[in-house]
Amino acid sequence: MIYSFCKIQLYLRSSSRIFPILKYDNFLQNYTQISLAIRFLSGNAADLHSFTISYLINSCGLSPKSALDVSKRVHFHTPKKPDSVISFFKNHGFSQAQITNLIKRLPELLVSNPEKFLLPKFQFFYSRGVSSSNIASFLFPSPYVLRCSLDNRIIPNFNYFKDLTHCDDDKVLVAYKRFPGVLVKDFQSLIAPNLAVLRECGVPESNILSKLVDHPRVFATGLEKFKRTVEEVEKLGFNPLKKIFIAAVQALVQISKSTWEGKLNVFKEWGWSNEEIVSAFGKSPNCMMLSEHKIKAAMSFYVNTIGCNSSYIANRPVLLGLSLEKRLIPRWTLLQVLLSKGLIKKKISLSQFFESNEKEFLRRFVSPYEEPQLLKLYKGEAGRFKIDAGCISSLKLFFFCPFGYSVR
């Protein structure tokens, strides 16, 4: 087992400042900045780029250095086209800071016809459910879709993804936000070989498509690496028929060798053996996808705050992924109150207390007691209760054992 675990590691691969925006007709006030940018050019080149650079500084908010860099990729002699492009983005809710950043990444848009080149794409996204108030936040993180052909790339990719996964439009949009390649790249050619690899080893189509919708980037991995990863997951004994198989593939595909080793060291710092780490990965591959900070914070809570044995967490690694702020601390606080009021009499499991969904948790641990303040406390709407030392001692004892108290 450890040998296979070691093989996993061998397989794994090892703002700029925005100047204050000046109005175009105040060019002379910004003459010094412009001069700094264009003095690096000479002769005809300076004449050719001087207007572009001054416009980028005064109307787009770029620094002289950024303006010089951008002017090597685009140039124009009149403000007509770039003015219309900037107005277009402003009219669709983009802030000046977003426009400045957008121009630095895609300066060629400044010389496009916004009504013919940009508007049809915006209308397409509007028709698929993106609201006018959200279009800027939807496109800004990865605007490169704006330079793609609507008819030859965006629409075919959108329809392919939707037809393949049988999902609604909003799911395709979410998939795009998680991995822009869904619409920007030749997505069908990119993922088809990897889908075939999973099908050949017996992974159910429903499991494949579910993971594709939630984590499309996994399937954009190079074919050779993807095949090696799937083979290693098989060697580790994961069942292809189970959802955990493809979760393990995702973990090994996305985690670099250095990141993997960093997380191994974190777990070892908390006393986990190699065997426990392998076992934890086998039970919940997602535990290796948590950040080192998240792992440390969760382990500190379980071991230092509530006195749980580190090995118990290794045996229930899913506990590591629970939100500290939204689940663990609120439930732990509520448990202290239940103990202080003498409402806990019998034994329950630690994992049941923390892992149960919200509806089940409220049914078992809040609703049975006719005390409105309990729910307010759990929801963070009440002040702190006074808890005596005996309650804390009982709480510690509860968490030292795999099985503790239970509500009556």
Side-chain angles (χ1 to χ4, degrees), residues 107-120:
E108 62 269 23
L109 294 182
L110 284 175
V111 293
S112 67
N113 184 327
E115 297 302 313
K116 293 182 179 180
F117 188 71
L118 296 174
L119 182 59

Side-chain angles (χ1 to χ4, degrees), residues 38 41-56 67-68 70-78 111:
I38 65 175
L41 302 170
S42 59
N44 294 333
D47 295 335
L48 183 65
H49 291 88
S50 61
F51 178 82
T52 301
I53 293 174
S54 66
Y55 185 92
L56 292 171
L68 179 61
V70 169
S71 71
K72 297 174 183 176
R73 299 168 58 189
V74 64
H75 63 272
F76 39 85
H77 299 287
T78 69
V111 293

Side-chain angles (χ1 to χ4, degrees), residues 374-399:
L374 282 178
L375 182 59
K376 289 183 178 180
L377 173 75
Y378 180 61
K379 297 295 185 181
E381 299 170 359
R384 294 182 60 83
F385 280 81
K386 290 184 178 180
I387 315 254
D388 60 35
C391 161
I392 300 299
S393 297
S394 297
L395 188 65
K396 295 273 186 180
L397 178 62
F398 168 78
F399 285 115

Side-chain angles (χ1 to χ4, degrees), residues 198-256:
L198 292 174
R199 289 166 179 152
E200 287 172 7
C201 70
V203 178
E205 191 73 4
S206 59
N207 291 355
I208 295 175
L209 299 183
S210 175
K211 182 63 68 174
L212 179 60
V213 171
D214 292 336
H215 301 282
R217 187 181 299 274
V218 175
F219 298 85
T221 306
L223 178 58
E224 290 306 313
K225 177 181 178 178
F226 195 84
K227 287 175 66 176
R228 290 197 306 268
T229 302
V230 170
E231 290 170 358
E232 188 60 31
V233 170
E234 288 181 301
K235 291 177 183 178
L236 284 170
F238 286 91
N239 185 347
L241 299 178
K242 303 292 185 179
K243 288 186 177 181
I244 197 172
F245 181 93
I246 202 165
V249 171
Q250 177 188 356
L252 296 183
V253 160
Q254 292 188 339
I255 302 174
S256 68

Side-chain angles (χ1 to χ4, degrees), residues 192-370:
N194 292 340
L195 296 181
V197 170
L198 292 174
R199 289 166 179 152
E200 287 172 7
C201 70
V203 178
E205 191 73 4
S206 59
N207 291 355
I208 295 175
L209 299 183
S210 175
K211 182 63 68 174
L212 179 60
V213 171
D214 292 336
H215 301 282
R217 187 181 299 274
V218 175
F219 298 85
T221 306
L223 178 58
E224 290 306 313
K225 177 181 178 178
F226 195 84
K227 287 175 66 176
R228 290 197 306 268
T229 302
V230 170
E231 290 170 358
E232 188 60 31
V233 170
E234 288 181 301
K235 291 177 183 178
L236 284 170
F238 286 91
N239 185 347
L241 299 178
K242 303 292 185 179
K243 288 186 177 181
I244 197 172
F245 181 93
I246 202 165
V249 171
Q250 177 188 356
L252 296 183
V253 160
Q254 292 188 339
I255 302 174
S256 68
K257 180 181 178 181
S258 60
T259 300
W260 184 279
E261 291 176 345
K263 293 175 183 180
L264 291 180
N265 291 332
V266 171
F267 284 125
K268 289 179 179 179
E269 288 172 1
W270 286 98
W272 290 20
S273 65
N274 283 340
E275 290 81 1
E276 286 178 316
I277 296 174
V278 172
S279 175
F281 181 74
K283 293 175 180 178
S284 178
N286 287 338
C287 73
M288 293 301 292
M289 298 185 67
L290 303 172
S291 69
E292 291 185 25
H293 174 76
K294 168 64 175 171
I295 295 171
K296 291 177 181 178
M299 289 299 295
S300 179
F301 173 80
Y302 289 119
V303 177
N304 297 333
T305 302
I306 62 179
C308 186
N309 191 293
S310 179
S311 293
Y312 180 72
I313 305 302
N315 193 48
R316 295 290 307 176
V318 68
L319 289 168
L320 292 172
L322 302 179
S323 171
L324 196 62
E325 295 78 11
K326 296 180 180 179
R327 177 171 296 197
L328 299 181
I329 292 177
R331 293 190 181 187
W332 177 62
T333 303
L334 180 66
L335 180 61
Q336 294 179 73
V337 175
L338 294 175
L339 282 167
S340 70
K341 291 178 174 289
L343 298 175
I344 290 188
K345 301 297 182 182
K346 300 179 182 179
K347 292 185 177 182
I348 60 170
S349 70
L350 177 154
S351 58
Q352 185 181 56
F353 187 81
F354 284 124
E355 291 179 38
S356 59
N357 61 44
E358 190 74 355
K359 182 178 180 180
E360 177 65 14
F361 181 82
L362 292 175
R363 184 187 70 80
R364 294 201 61 194
F365 300 104
V366 178
S367 299
Y369 314 106
E370 297 180 358

